[in-house]
Amino acid sequence: MLKIKNLHASVEDKAILRGINLEVKPGEVHAIMGPNGSGKSTLASVIAGKEEYEVTEGQILLNDEDIDELAAEERAHKGIFLSFQYPVEIPGVSVTNFMKTAINETRKAKGLEDMPANEMLKLIREKSELLEIDRKFLSRSLNEGFSGGEKKRNEIFQMAMLEPKLAILDETDSGLDIDALRIVANGVNKLKSKDNAVIVITHYQRLLDYIVPDFVHVLHNGRIVKSGGKELAHELEEKGYDWIKEEVKA
Amino acid sequence: MELKEKLISSFLAFENHVDIDSPIHDVRSEAIKIFETQGFPTKKEEAWKYTSLNSILKHDYSVFPKNENTIEYNDVKKYFIHDIDSYKIVFIDGKYSSHLSQTTHDGIDVCLMSSALNKPKYQLIIQNYFNKIASKDSLTSLNTAFSQEGAYIQIPKNKVVDKPIQIIHFSTGNESALMQQPRNLIVVNENSHVQIIERHQSLTENPVLTNSVTEIFANKRAIIDYYKVQNDNEHASLIDNTFINQKQESHCSVHTFSFGGKLTRNNLNFYQNGERIDSTLKGVTIIGNKQHVDHNTLVHHIEPNCESHQDYKGIFNDSSTGVFNGKVVVNKEAQKTNAFQANNNILVSDKASINTKPQLEIFADDVKCSHGCTIGQLDENAMFYMRSRGIPEKEAKGLLMYAFSNNVLNSVKIPEIKQRITKIIATKLGVNIGFDL
């Protein structure tokens, strides 16, 4: 599904990713861990198509198509979803209206008619129940005045609504208490299938107790320096990142 | 002939048509002298530093349209808020159109300035209110000199007017260029409540210049909601001079929606003559091409315990230009004043510009006054967020700009107007947003 080959990316001429290689197949869950500043969020943003980041070398292939030239919305239409570490507040646009717009624009891009209103309502009801979201919440302005946990839950609600092929969860666990973490993880697990894939970006192992990865990669200085199974996450939790840094030096 | 000279000589012709023995005529004669001395304002004057009238004064305007003209309701229906019942005072090329209007004398007066100026039964009100708060600047004086037609609205005590009043001016292009000077007088007495919608609409590409003066008196505990819909075509220009005198505990709001026109200047002045008064001034400006919109506001806090709320949003595309000049004066006696002012702008294009200037003159020491103005581009993070959800750039921009102007619409009390304005905004922003606005 996703193949990243020797990816180099920079922002304002500062190189952040320095040769990433990663392959994600349908049905897989990959965790990307690493110390602060290692390039985790940059990798997420580059895959999602943030324009400030410039790919200087290498390729991102989605189902064997190079997506470098595609705008963020086109990548979304092809099934890439990024759950933001810091979801943006958009006063004046309700959660519901935002989702209607996103879904219908995606359908338009695929040559489909707008989703009928009753179908939309049904979908919203179903997915908000999955994330245990109060209906009142849906008529509030997007992310405005939401608590950290509400913002993250809302991100996963959007993911549930859009049903992406590849979901990238950027630090979705930060700012979540344990109950919210369970709800979010439960939502993600229910959405998982053999046809879609998830990349979980996290600093801590905590979320990975709930969303169990098939592979764990450690990012350091813009490169994946170590990959392994889910036990690698436990090892990192116990020993921190210093030993990896030492290993890289050696 | 220069427009100034033409107007001065037209005044002599005008005197042949009106009763020059009436006391109003002394006011007119006085006013034309002021205009003659001062002439049209130029950029040398501080209040006109960023707005030049040169481009709109060069036309050879007809000051008195020759022919009466009619238009069919169906052809202009869309310019009315037609989905609600309303009183209507409609003018075509400056002349009253009885067949498009719906006036009343049943308990309230919704009628014509020309009758109010001429009929004895209105004399007392005219004497007490006419030209009492209009300023003596040159443009207002020019209007005063030619004051003859416009809307006259008088609401007696304890009356909630049952439906909104629409004041609409159409110009048909019958004249190759037309100058209109409507003069409105609105008196709302104690405890009464009225909603008014004002619109100017040109139906052709012939240039139109409207220099309008509206005097509004809100007596004790009166509530007035006034909506100015400025969505004219790009051959029509408007100078709107509105003066509002508020007595104690009255609430007045003016919402100005500026989307159209070649040049629009709003001189909006509030005078708070009483305690516990609330004044609201809100505006949304969305323009492009070479359009120019200038908001020049004044709120004068004269007595204690009053509030004023100003919130103007502007979105400027192409080579459009905007001006916001918001003056708040708090007299020494006006303690416990709460005065808020915000002016936020988005420049969509590199060629667009906005000059924004808050002016606070505070002579009292126990007041809360705040002002803030911002000029910015659209938030890149918000754009990426929306696009990452599959919303294309253009729609994302539109949605963000809609959201930006949205909170000004929250205080609009007539749902049909809110709906209409949000539709105009969506059209203006060129987006088909995926939900009903």
Side-chain angles (χ1 to χ4, degrees):
Chain A
M1 175 179 289
L2 180 76
K3 278 186 203 138
I4 297 177
K5 293 181 180 169
N6 189 31
L7 182 69
H8 289 68
S10 55
V11 60
E12 289 167 357
D13 292 330
K14 186 171 176 262
I16 298 182
L17 303 183
R18 306 153 188 259
I20 301 248
N21 290 291
L22 179 69
E23 182 167 5
V24 179
K25 296 199 175 94
E28 292 178 349
V29 176
H30 289 245
I32 295 179
M33 303 184 72
N36 288 331
S38 58
K40 301 190 299 289
S41 283
T42 300
L43 177 61
S45 296
V46 170
I47 298 171
K50 191 168 188 178
E51 280 169 356
E52 285 90 322
Y53 295 99
E54 197 194 343
V55 173
T56 51
E57 213 183 316
Q59 278 185 315
I60 305 172
L61 303 171
L62 185 71
N63 297 324
D64 296 321
E65 182 196 359
D66 190 337
I67 59 169
D68 185 44
E69 293 294 315
L70 297 186
E73 60 268 29
E74 293 171 306
R75 299 182 194 205
H77 298 157
K78 289 188 182 295
I80 293 179
F81 178 89
L82 172 61
S83 167
F84 279 56
Q85 183 177 1
Y86 303 109
V88 183
E89 298 192 3
I90 309 199
V93 179
S94 70
V95 176
T96 304
N97 283 340
F98 182 65
M99 278 334 292
K100 279 186 190 169
T101 308
I103 285 181
N104 284 332
E105 288 297 340
T106 301
R107 289 173 68 98
K108 201 198 278 174
K110 291 176 180 164
L112 299 171
E113 295 282 305
D114 280 1
M115 184 181 279
N118 57 347
E119 216 174 295
M120 182 78 76
L121 278 177
K122 208 177 131 219
L123 189 67
I124 289 172
R125 194 177 310 132
E126 188 187 314
K127 303 299 184 186
S128 56
E129 276 165 19
L130 178 69
L131 274 306
E132 299 178 31
I133 287 174
D134 192 324
R135 298 294 295 282
K136 269 183 268 168
F137 183 86
L138 300 171
S139 53
R140 283 171 59 187
S141 282
L142 186 62
N143 292 323
E144 194 187 26
F146 287 17
S147 69
E150 285 171 331
K151 282 183 182 170
K152 295 302 172 70
R153 214 189 295 182
N154 180 39
E155 291 292 285
I156 305 305
F157 167 69
Q158 293 181 33
M159 171 184 159
M161 291 290 291
L162 293 165
E163 298 183 330
K165 296 259 168 18
L166 174 69
I168 306 162
L169 312 183
D170 187 7
E171 306 265 358
T172 297
D173 48 341
S174 67
L176 288 187
D177 63 33
I178 196 72
D179 291 331
L181 187 75
R182 266 195 214 111
I183 294 167
V184 162
N186 181 37
V188 173
N189 288 332
K190 279 194 181 146
L191 296 167
K192 251 176 62 186
S193 78
K194 62 177 179 18
D195 300 317
N196 60 29
V198 182
I199 298 175
V200 182
I201 291 175
T202 180
H203 193 77
Y204 303 103
Q205 184 267 339
R206 193 170 73 135
L207 180 64
L208 304 179
D209 285 341
Y210 298 94
I211 305 172
V212 182
D214 301 298
F215 300 96
V216 174
H217 310 279
V218 181
L219 199 60
H220 178 58
N221 274 338
R223 285 192 194 94
I224 290 176
V225 292
K226 197 170 182 70
S227 294
K230 63 181 178 209
E231 62 292 342
L232 180 56
H234 288 282
E235 205 175 341
L236 287 169
E237 182 75 4
E238 266 167 44
K239 305 204 291 200
Y241 288 103
D242 288 344
W243 65 278
I244 301 252
K245 290 180 190 168
E246 293 304 315
E247 230 180 64
V248 173
K249 273 185 204 158
Chain B
M1 202 176 358
E2 289 275 311
L3 185 57
K4 182 183 166 186
E5 277 69 51
K6 184 172 184 173
L7 285 162
I8 290 165
S9 57
S10 299
F11 185 74
L12 301 173
F14 178 65
E15 286 187 310
N16 292 330
H17 299 285
V18 292
D19 175 11
I20 55 168
D21 297 324
S22 82
I24 293 306
H25 204 67
D26 296 338
V27 178
R28 289 189 187 120
S29 309
E30 195 63 32
I32 195 74
K33 278 184 209 145
I34 296 175
F35 174 70
E36 190 170 7
T37 315
Q38 297 185 3
F40 285 104
T42 66
K43 289 179 94 168
K44 286 183 192 137
E45 291 169 42
E46 185 63 28
W48 290 85
K49 200 172 165 186
Y50 301 109
T51 297
S52 167
L53 295 176
N54 286 342
S55 69
I56 59 168
L57 297 180
K58 64 180 187 206
H59 301 289
D60 186 21
Y61 292 107
S62 300
V63 182
F64 310 114
K66 287 177 279 292
N67 303 314
E68 298 241 347
N69 210 343
T70 56
I71 35 183
E72 286 307 314
Y73 176 68
N74 276 335
D75 297 337
V76 291
K77 186 180 164 191
K78 63 178 176 183
Y79 302 117
F80 291 84
I81 307 292
H82 54 76
D83 27 18
I84 49 170
D85 199 10
S86 65
Y87 297 108
K88 299 173 192 77
I89 314 173
V90 182
F91 303 93
I92 301 172
D93 296 334
K95 294 233 162 82
Y96 174 61
S97 162
S98 59
H99 82 285
L100 290 179
S101 298
Q102 190 189 337
T103 57
T104 185
H105 294 289
D106 184 11
I108 57 176
D109 288 308
V110 177
C111 59
L112 299 179
M113 193 63 162
S114 53
S115 359
L117 288 175
N118 297 322
K119 289 185 184 163
K121 67 168 176 169
Y122 299 111
Q123 216 173 356
L124 193 62
I125 288 184
I126 294 295
Q127 220 174 350
N128 287 340
Y129 293 104
F130 179 78
N131 209 43
K132 288 293 182 274
I133 44 165
S135 77
K136 303 284 182 279
D137 67 274
S138 66
L139 288 166
T140 307
S141 298
L142 177 62
N143 177 290
T144 303
F146 287 92
S147 56
Q148 164 73 350
E149 195 54 286
Y152 173 82
I153 297 167
Q154 201 264 119
I155 315 294
K157 277 190 199 177
N158 305 325
K159 192 102 194 164
V160 176
V161 179
D162 56 333
K163 49 194 181 187
I165 301 166
Q166 304 196 55
I167 305 169
I168 305 191
H169 297 265
F170 291 109
S171 49
T172 60
N174 238 16
E175 310 288 329
S176 60
L178 175 69
M179 182 168 180
Q180 314 182 93
Q181 301 209 67
R183 176 69 173 224
N184 307 313
L185 177 62
I186 296 161
V187 179
V188 182
N189 283 303
E190 282 179 47
N191 302 319
S192 288
H193 181 186
V194 66
Q195 298 177 317
I196 298 166
I197 302 153
E198 179 189 343
R199 181 164 191 161
H200 301 263
Q201 189 65 46
S202 168
L203 304 172
T204 73
E205 296 190 347
N206 290 354
V208 178
L209 171 58
T210 303
N211 177 39
S212 165
V213 172
T214 304
E215 290 181 282
I216 301 174
F217 294 85
N219 284 315
K220 280 186 200 168
R221 292 180 297 279
I223 303 174
I224 304 175
D225 298 312
Y226 205 107
Y227 303 95
K228 291 174 185 284
V229 182
Q230 302 176 340
N231 193 23
D232 212 337
N233 72 33
E234 288 175 32
H235 305 275
S237 295
L238 171 67
I239 300 162
D240 179 310
N241 308 281
T242 297
F243 304 91
I244 301 178
N245 188 56
Q246 287 187 255
K247 289 282 178 61
Q248 70 181 64
E249 291 166 57
S250 61
H251 283 59
C252 287
S253 71
V254 175
H255 289 75
T256 308
F257 302 110
S258 311
F259 307 125
K262 177 185 170 75
L263 181 151
T264 306
R265 162 81 173 213
N266 287 295
N267 296 314
L268 179 57
N269 306 280
F270 278 76
Y271 304 97
Q272 295 186 333
N273 281 300
E275 292 200 37
R276 292 180 296 284
I277 288 169
D278 193 290
S279 308
T280 299
L281 302 77
K282 295 200 177 189
V284 180
T285 302
I286 303 177
I287 52 173
N289 299 330
K290 289 186 166 172
Q291 291 178 287
H292 179 85
V293 170
D294 178 346
H295 290 290
N296 195 72
T297 67
L298 165 70
V299 179
H300 196 160
H301 290 272
I302 298 163
E303 296 201 27
N305 300 311
C306 294
E307 295 197 6
S308 65
H309 305 267
Q310 291 192 63
D311 189 358
Y312 282 81
K313 308 272 189 202
I315 297 173
F316 301 90
N317 213 328
D318 308 322
S319 305
S320 62
T321 46
V323 182
F324 177 81
N325 196 340
K327 189 170 176 179
V328 176
V329 181
V330 181
N331 279 15
K332 202 173 147 196
E333 297 73 27
Q335 299 293 0
K336 306 279 182 195
T337 290
N338 280 333
F340 303 100
Q341 184 188 81
N343 173 233
N344 307 103
N345 302 286
I346 293 177
L347 299 178
V348 184
S349 130
D350 294 341
K351 289 187 197 138
S353 69
I354 167 87
N355 283 291
T356 172
K357 188 172 114 188
Q359 242 180 303
L360 270 62
E361 296 178 9
I362 301 168
F363 300 100
D365 51 17
D366 184 14
V367 299
K368 271 189 216 155
C369 294
S370 70
H371 67 89
C373 50
T374 60
I375 302 170
Q377 276 78 37
L378 289 173
D379 178 1
E380 287 297 327
N381 286 326
M383 283 296 291
F384 176 54
Y385 186 65
M386 301 179 88
R387 294 176 72 183
S388 79
R389 299 298 182 255
I391 301 172
E393 186 177 13
K394 192 178 153 202
E395 276 69 21
K397 268 188 189 167
L399 202 53
L400 277 184
M401 291 192 279
Y402 162 72
F404 170 78
S405 42
N406 193 34
N407 62 346
V408 171
L409 300 178
N410 285 342
S411 48
V412 173
K413 289 183 192 136
I414 305 174
E416 288 78 7
I417 292 200
K418 195 189 251 181
Q419 218 171 31
R420 186 70 63 90
I421 298 301
T422 46
K423 261 192 192 138
I424 296 176
I425 289 177
T427 313
K428 263 287 183 193
L429 300 174
V431 291
N432 177 20
I433 289 164
F435 52 90
D436 290 332
L437 288 171

